[in-house]
Every structure is written in structure tokens, then in C-alpha cells.
Amino acid sequence: QIKTNADIFTAQTGSWQISGTIANVSYPNYGFYGNTGVGMYRPAVDSLGFVTNSVERMRITSAGNVGIGVTGPVQKLHIVDTNGANIILNSNTGAENNGIWMTEGGVATPYANGAYVYYDSTNNAFKINTGTSSLLTRFEIARDTGAIKFNSYSATDQTGTPTYLLG
């Protein structure tokens, strides 16, 4: 056990713990000597943050979601670049099916302005949705029959949803 301004101690045989009074992106709990802005720290209860150049680059939340470039990931893998674009890997078995969101919505609106490529297990189909504030299905392939459905827009009234069968 070492107890000064930072505690390093063994809680039980075979394990150890680091704690300290300073724990932020400039001084992570677990860092490197001479390079204080690099390491890991606890940004929230049961969460883990990874830091480089005194900036949090990645976080694992208490729900197990991983965020790269975002501190509040909304799915198992959520990536945001500095321009606000999102890539979200969704492995949910609920109302949203397994897929990938690729949007320009930024952190506040991660599901807006882009596309969602996914497998719809309820309807047994692969789908591509696009749009702005709400994404609509534009292309669909039926799992069992191979039928293809897509929106075909008329130049005058922008209507139509023809269905084609492959093979």
C-alpha cells in the first residue's frame, strides 16, 4: 500500500486498485510518467475513459456502449468525427433491427440526415433507409424470395413502389 496524494493499494490477493484526488483528461488515474495527458480515467460511475493529448477519445459506458469521439454513445458502437458525422453499429433486437447508421446528425441528433442499412427480422428483409429528420425505406430485398422493392420516383408526381422478383 502507498498512501500519499494518490492511493495505490491491494484490495485482496491478486488484485490492485489505483485511486487519487485528481482524475480528469489532463491527469488520468492511470497514465504514463512524464506524459500526463495520456491514459485512462473514470469519467462517470462504472465508466471508463481513454485519453490522448488531454482529450477523451473513447469511452465505455456502464451499459457497455463504446463511444469514439462521443462521450454518450447511444448503441454498442458509436463513432463521431469532429465534423459531426456518425457511424453507429446497432445490434438491438427490439424495434430497431441489426444495422449500421451513417448520418450527419451530430451528437444531439445521431439518427438524422443520412442512411440506415439493416436487416429487418420482423419482415425478413434487408433494407436501406434514407432521409433527413425521419429515414424512410428506399430499397428492400426479401430474404426468402429475393424480391426487390424500391421507390421509383416519377418526374412529375414522385410516386411508385415497383416490386421485382430475381431469378
Side-chain angles (χ1 to χ4, degrees):
Q1 290 187 351
I2 300 172
K3 291 188 176 182
T4 57
N5 62 345
D7 299 344
I8 300 175
F9 58 91
T10 301
Q12 53 184 298
T13 304
S15 69
W16 56 276
Q17 182 177 10
I18 299 173
S19 66
T21 56
I22 299 174
N24 57 40
V25 294
S26 296
Y27 297 97
N29 291 97
Y30 179 77
F32 299 92
Y33 181 76
N35 194 354
T36 57
V38 176
M40 296 183 303
Y41 78 114
R42 188 186 88 157
V45 175
D46 295 330
S47 293
L48 182 61
F50 295 86
V51 176
T52 63
N53 199 27
S54 296
V55 175
E56 183 177 324
R57 306 296 182 174
M58 183 173 79
R59 180 178 291 198
I60 303 173
T61 68
S62 59
N65 294 344
V66 175
I68 299 174
V70 60
T71 58
V74 296
Q75 295 288 346
K76 292 300 178 194
L77 179 60
H78 186 167
I79 303 169
V80 178
D81 74 6
T82 56
N83 296 320
N86 287 276
I87 297 177
I88 302 171
L89 177 63
N90 179 24
S91 61
N92 191 355
T93 57
E96 297 170 358
N97 291 279
N98 297 325
I100 301 172
W101 295 86
M102 295 162 283
T103 67
E104 303 166 7
V107 176
T109 55
Y111 300 113
N113 298 322
Y116 183 38
V117 178
Y118 67 103
Y119 178 73
D120 179 348
S121 60
T122 303
N123 296 303
N124 296 323
F126 170 80
K127 295 183 178 182
I128 299 175
N129 294 9
T130 62
T132 54
S133 60
S134 64
L135 307 183
L136 302 172
T137 301
R138 308 291 187 187
F139 181 77
E140 178 179 329
I141 301 174
R143 180 194 69 189
D144 298 332
T145 64
I148 297 175
K149 183 193 239 183
F150 59 94
N151 289 357
S152 175
Y153 293 104
S154 163
T156 55
D157 59 4
Q158 296 184 344
T159 61
T161 306
T163 300
Y164 299 95
L165 184 61
L166 293 176

